[in-house]
Amino acid sequence: MQRIFDMFFKFTLLLVIVSVSSSFSQSISLTAVPEGSYTSYQEFLDKKPSVLVDSIKNNLIKNQYGNIIVLPARQFSKAWGIVLKDNLYIRRTSNMRSSVLPIAAIPLNGAVVTISKLDAAFVRILKYGSICLNAENDMLKLPSIENYRVSVSNFKYLIKTDKELTASYKKEQDKLISVYKYIDLYNDKHPITD
């Protein structure tokens, strides 16, 4: 029981560290990216939003932490991502690699809202790079917006082309906690060319 408590404490501490340091780990300056909705990763790199911020703000539902925003799918189902107040939100997808289905309900200001086919949910990116980490503890390998739950098997899948890093990761004692360190190592070794 003590071992489980220690692992939970380490994991929680690591999440706090990741959350606090996330603004420093982004490899691009989001202050230079105009607010708005981007239909593709290339459009995001070109800094040319297809939908301006006023249309987003008029239709926006946001949770109390600002980690998840929900917009009407009829206008935003084709959006790749959204930039609001120097934060990047990438659309949550349902085609996850693991058998775990995405959460269908999200807490919004003390209530729970069920995400339906009429809604498009976007999750804030905490760590930006070749492998992104979002506020729901999912990993995304850019430019794809496919979500992968943070797990040892999913992380191994994302870094499998880097034999050196994969071999180094296999030597780690606590592999789940090491995922967060190795996301930074992978991103340093494989920067996004933007």
Side-chain angles (χ1 to χ4, degrees):
M1 185 61 126
Q2 182 64 34
R3 180 166 160 64
I4 292 172
F5 177 77
D6 290 341
M7 285 177 42
F8 177 76
F9 177 76
K10 287 179 185 177
F11 185 71
T12 305
L13 181 62
L14 187 59
L15 286 178
V16 169
I17 292 168
V18 168
S19 295
V20 170
S21 67
S22 65
S23 61
F24 303 107
S25 64
Q26 296 189 0
S27 61
I28 65 164
S29 172
L30 288 173
T31 57
V33 179
E35 290 186 315
S37 173
Y38 296 84
T39 57
S40 69
Y41 182 60
Q42 188 59 50
E43 195 175 86
F44 171 73
L45 292 179
D46 294 342
K47 300 176 181 157
K48 296 180 181 174
S50 58
V51 177
L52 298 178
V53 72
D54 291 338
S55 181
I56 295 168
K57 288 181 178 177
N58 292 337
N59 293 289
L60 178 72
I61 301 172
K62 185 160 82 169
N63 75 347
Q64 66 263 28
Y65 304 111
N67 291 333
I68 301 169
I69 57 175
V70 179
L71 293 159
R74 71 183 180 280
Q75 292 174 278
F76 296 97
S77 66
K78 296 193 187 318
W80 173 87
I82 292 173
V83 174
L84 287 175
K85 295 183 181 177
D86 300 332
N87 286 300
L88 172 61
Y89 296 82
I90 294 181
R91 185 166 48 90
R92 179 172 47 180
T93 59
S94 59
N95 54 338
M96 296 180 73
R97 179 176 176 265
S98 67
S99 61
V100 180
L101 295 175
I103 300 164
I106 58 171
L108 289 168
N109 301 325
V112 175
V113 175
T114 302
I115 304 300
S116 73
K117 291 181 181 180
L118 302 175
D119 301 314
F122 296 82
V123 183
R124 186 167 60 96
I125 298 299
L126 299 176
K127 187 178 292 282
Y128 178 82
S130 295
I131 298 176
C132 294
L133 184 65
N134 75 16
E136 285 191 323
N137 208 26
D138 291 336
M139 298 176 292
L140 299 92
K141 192 161 185 182
L142 290 183
S144 166
I145 58 172
E146 190 169 334
N147 294 267
Y148 300 88
R149 284 276 174 222
V150 172
S151 71
V152 172
S153 65
N154 285 339
F155 183 67
K156 285 180 183 178
Y157 174 77
L158 290 174
I159 67 165
K160 68 183 177 184
T161 56
D162 186 324
K163 303 298 182 200
E164 184 182 320
L165 203 60
T166 299
S168 177
Y169 178 71
K170 284 181 182 178
K171 296 175 185 174
E172 290 291 328
Q173 292 292 327
D174 195 337
K175 290 192 177 12
L176 185 57
I177 289 181
S178 295
V179 165
Y180 299 95
K181 175 175 98 174
Y182 275 78
I183 286 174
D184 287 336
L185 293 173
Y186 184 88
N187 288 342
D188 288 344
K189 193 171 178 184
H190 303 279
I192 297 176
T193 55
D194 51 19

